[in-house]
Amino acid sequence: MSASANPKFLFVTGGVVSSLGKGIACASLGLLLKSRGLSVTIMKCDPYINVDPGTMSPYQHGEVYVTEDGAETDLDLGHYERFIDENMSQMNNVTTGQIYFDVISKERRGDYLGATVQVIPHITDEIKLRIDMLARQSNADIVIVEVGGTVGDIESLPFLEAIRQYCIEHRQDCLTMHLTLLPYIRSAGEIKTKPTQHSVMRLREIGIQPDFLFCRSEHHIDEATRKKIALFCSVDPDAVIEATDAQTIYEVPLQLAEQKLDEQIIKRLNLKGAPAKLAPLESVVKKIKDPEKRVSIAICGKYTRLKDAYKSIIESLVHAGVANNSAVDIKWVNSEDVEHSDNPGSFFEDVHGILVPYGFDFRGIEGKLIAVRHARENNIPFFGICLGLQCAVIEFARNVCGIENANSAEFDKDAADPVIHIMESQRSIKQKGGTMRLGTYPCVTTPDTLARKMYGSEIIIERHRHRYEVNNDYRNVLEENGMILSGLSPDGNLVEIIELKDHPFFVGCQFHPELKSRIVRPHPIFVHFVEAALTHQG
Ligand code: GLN
């Protein structure tokens, strides 16, 4: 990134309802501005009191996205990375928990001696400091700041107040955009603007006048409605941006470019932008909307009720599909259903590949083991990620090596044969938050293996989030029976990738490749997995 002496800021807030896709909106805008030659970074402010989402259930929060530097962050950071193709860091995700933690630590240290420590100014100052720090560290021309939650939430008030102050203190350098919903009332055949008006009113009460409105809508906004929204909300008609439901999220930057949102931002912030280069994205979108082929992959996990738990895996499959000119249809298979079924094979009859994703704890494990066995015995392409690798090792140990009681110490701490056991470095850890093996570690791929072929390089760098690993005491017996340890930590101590001899595609990895797949750079394991599924389909 080029150094920016005068960074600009775009603050993005949400209104009316949650889940409008603020993360995608910010990521899309980031992509658009970057395509015009500007350097961009994005910060997510999460109003909850957890220091990070690492201790939350996937059902509460969806996927925990791990950055290169090992921060456990909001899944929106995954969208940011995938769209703008820049690595985020722990600086890009700020939570109320972190802000209070820092302010209370400073108070104990005596930094505020003599003062009563209050939400305003101490908490708001700390938020502003975090924005300044990210701007400095990233050297970005534009820092986009997304505030989680919806205007009116008690929790997000300090963030909004900090933004209000920031905009006054850096008047020339800041813009704000508010995301709203324009509901369509079928019986009246009309788009309704009142919730948007109320939401903007709420924002104005706090002292923020939005410069742009990003309106989610099922239907096209006609000119009269656009003018009405502009008039009531005090924005330019051109600044009312319509975002109708897109067939693919990768189309959103194109929708925004059509409405010249990037151009308006660049002009208002007095920046210089080159013409947007969107041809690569246009070609991706075309391939997603009009695929030559379709292939079906089963994801067998236990968080299948909330697809957000597997966000990066879903997107990585989309990217790998594009690389193979194919759509990838995901069949969600709940591992507990497999476990309790009399005919588990029926879940996989119509799929061409089976993916067992990450996970924690023993619930649904036996179902995942059945899925692995089914893939192994029927030559169906298999891809195991983190817990998925661990399941593959347990299944192989039990059913191929004949180690009947093989298990993970995570599921049975007194297991007779803990083929998966706790990592040495994890043994003494008592505190749960932020203490897994997190972030990037190098891995050495073994020559003449599928892993080496897929990556095309000896040293690879991948991101991790786990406490358990393959128990080295069982390496020999696994290898003797045909398991290939195709990726190891540089000291040779940790098994990072496994594969099987005599199987068209059977790969497990201890790391999370889904965290590094980008639209423009699909991850090689996903690309080869989808390719193998297409071959299996015939
Ligand atoms: N629960 C396993 C571990 O901690 C796997 C973690 C994961 O799948 N991310 O090692």
Side-chain angles (χ1 to χ4, degrees):
M1 281 192 191
S2 62
S4 175
N6 182 17
K8 309 285 183 180
F9 300 88
L10 177 73
F11 296 101
V12 181
T13 56
V16 186
V17 289
S18 59
S19 304
L20 286 180
K22 231 183 301 151
I24 305 281
C26 292
S28 300
L29 199 49
L31 180 150
L32 210 48
L33 293 167
K34 189 180 171 191
S35 86
R36 304 195 55 150
L38 296 164
S39 57
V40 184
T41 193
I42 314 181
M43 175 188 262
K44 173 80 191 278
C45 301
D46 278 310
Y48 50 71
I49 295 172
N50 301 60
V51 169
D52 61 43
T55 54
M56 287 186 218
S57 145
Y59 279 130
Q60 287 282 317
H61 189 269
E63 166 186 276
V64 172
Y65 192 80
V66 180
T67 53
E68 292 282 290
D69 61 350
E72 296 179 286
T73 70
D74 186 70
L75 59 77
D76 275 335
L77 271 80
H79 292 308
Y80 304 163
E81 287 204 353
R82 285 187 286 272
F83 277 69
I84 65 173
D85 195 18
E86 298 283 349
N87 285 334
M88 301 288 122
S89 76
Q90 56 177 338
M91 301 280 304
N92 294 77
N93 195 186
V94 174
T95 67
T96 296
Q98 287 170 21
I99 297 290
Y100 272 82
F101 197 92
D102 286 355
V103 167
I104 291 169
S105 304
K106 286 181 181 172
E107 185 275 336
R108 290 290 81 186
R109 213 163 56 206
D111 290 12
Y112 310 117
L113 276 187
T116 306
V117 181
Q118 291 176 305
V119 173
I120 304 171
H122 299 95
I123 294 295
T124 45
D125 278 355
E126 192 67 32
I127 296 170
K128 290 191 288 180
L129 183 72
R130 292 299 196 98
I131 297 170
D132 284 336
M133 276 160 61
L134 178 64
R136 239 193 338 269
Q137 186 221 39
S138 65
N139 272 332
D141 296 318
I142 297 197
V143 182
I144 299 175
V145 180
E146 173 188 352
V147 182
T150 309
V151 60
D153 296 347
I154 291 175
E155 289 88 347
S156 55
L157 271 175
F159 286 102
L160 296 177
E161 170 60 15
I163 289 173
R164 184 190 71 80
Q165 294 176 17
Y166 209 92
C167 289
I168 291 173
E169 289 158 6
H170 307 78
R171 207 179 283 276
Q172 304 305 318
D173 299 325
C174 296
L175 288 174
T176 52
M177 180 165 88
H178 190 55
L179 240 89
T180 72
L181 174 73
L182 296 175
Y184 177 76
I185 305 298
R186 204 148 289 149
S187 56
E190 254 186 337
I191 283 175
K192 291 294 183 187
T193 65
K194 198 74 84 189
T196 295
Q197 294 179 39
H198 279 282
S199 183
V200 170
M201 245 189 273
R202 211 57 211 269
L203 200 58
R204 284 212 205 110
E205 277 169 21
I206 297 166
I208 299 175
Q209 164 63 49
D211 297 294
F212 295 96
L213 292 177
F214 186 106
C215 304
R216 284 294 306 274
S217 168
E218 269 177 64
H219 292 270
H220 181 62
I221 311 174
D222 60 39
E223 246 348 90
T225 310
R226 183 185 299 272
K227 282 200 177 124
K228 184 173 162 187
I229 297 170
L231 185 67
F232 282 106
C233 300
S234 307
V235 297
D236 286 348
D238 283 352
V240 178
I241 305 296
E242 120 185 346
T244 45
D245 297 343
Q247 199 178 320
T248 153
I249 52 173
Y250 300 111
E251 205 175 355
V252 178
L254 304 178
Q255 287 183 339
L256 303 185
E258 240 170 67
Q259 298 173 75
K260 301 193 170 33
L261 178 57
D262 49 337
E263 206 171 298
Q264 296 185 54
I265 289 174
I266 286 173
K267 201 157 140 210
R268 288 210 200 181
L269 288 175
N270 237 333
L271 286 163
K272 282 191 184 42
K277 288 197 191 87
L278 294 171
L281 185 68
E282 279 162 359
S283 132
V284 165
V285 168
K286 195 164 162 286
K287 284 185 180 172
I288 295 177
K289 288 171 95 171
D290 189 16
E292 283 171 18
K293 301 165 262 187
R294 306 198 80 86
V295 71
S296 182
I297 305 273
I299 296 186
C300 181
K302 71 173 171 182
Y303 311 118
T304 47
R305 265 193 293 125
L306 183 78
K307 314 290 182 277
D308 270 1
Y310 303 116
K311 195 91 226 164
S312 293
I313 295 180
I314 299 171
E315 295 309 322
S316 301
L317 287 171
V318 172
H319 306 164
V322 169
N324 282 286
N325 287 319
S326 175
V328 178
D329 298 318
I330 295 174
K331 177 172 182 184
W332 295 100
V333 177
N334 190 295
S335 52
E336 287 175 278
D337 294 344
V338 177
E339 190 170 323
H340 300 124
S341 165
D342 296 333
N343 181 15
S346 64
F347 287 96
F348 306 108
E349 261 160 21
D350 47 355
V351 302
H352 315 109
I354 297 176
L355 190 155
V356 175
Y358 81 96
F360 295 86
D361 221 350
F362 67 91
R363 196 164 52 79
I365 286 298
E366 293 303 321
K368 292 180 189 176
L369 296 178
I370 294 170
V372 177
R373 184 174 193 168
H374 186 80
R376 184 177 55 74
E377 292 184 341
N378 294 286
N379 285 328
I380 301 171
F382 169 82
F383 185 10
I385 296 178
C386 204
L387 181 73
L389 168 142
Q390 299 175 358
C391 287
V393 169
I394 298 169
E395 190 279 325
F396 192 79
R398 285 189 194 171
N399 302 321
V400 179
C401 308
I403 310 171
E404 229 172 274
N405 294 316
N407 212 341
S408 166
E410 182 180 10
F411 318 138
D412 176 5
K413 65 178 177 10
D414 303 316
D417 283 297
V419 290
I420 303 295
H421 69 170
I422 190 133
M423 301 178 69
E424 190 57 47
S425 55
Q426 290 284 327
R427 283 180 207 272
S428 56
I429 290 174
K430 296 274 175 299
Q431 205 155 298
K432 292 278 184 257
T435 57
M436 284 189 235
R437 180 177 181 235
L438 289 167
T440 54
Y441 288 90
C443 163
V444 182
T445 56
T446 314
D448 303 319
T449 59
L450 183 56
R452 174 65 68 86
K453 183 181 142 213
M454 290 190 291
Y455 280 95
S457 67
E458 185 186 358
I459 308 285
I460 58 166
I461 311 274
E462 291 283 5
R463 300 185 196 175
H464 298 68
R465 183 174 188 250
H466 64 120
R467 294 189 200 278
Y468 294 83
E469 59 161 339
V470 174
N471 184 341
N472 288 340
D473 291 347
Y474 294 87
R475 271 200 201 180
N476 282 346
V477 60
L478 292 169
E479 285 185 298
E480 278 157 21
N481 282 280
M483 183 167 274
I484 303 166
L485 311 180
S486 55
L488 297 175
S489 57
D491 63 5
N493 255 330
L494 303 175
V495 175
E496 302 281 33
I497 313 178
I498 58 140
E499 51 196 74
L500 286 189
K501 279 195 192 115
D502 307 324
H503 191 286
F505 188 99
F506 191 102
V507 176
C509 54
Q510 189 55 75
F511 46 79
H512 289 269
E514 73 276 18
L515 303 177
K516 290 187 76 162
S517 181
R518 310 258 167 104
I519 327 173
V520 287
R521 238 166 335 106
H523 193 283
I525 308 188
F526 279 92
V527 173
H528 282 83
F529 174 52
V530 170
E531 189 186 30
L534 282 161
T535 308
H536 181 76
Q537 181 185 30

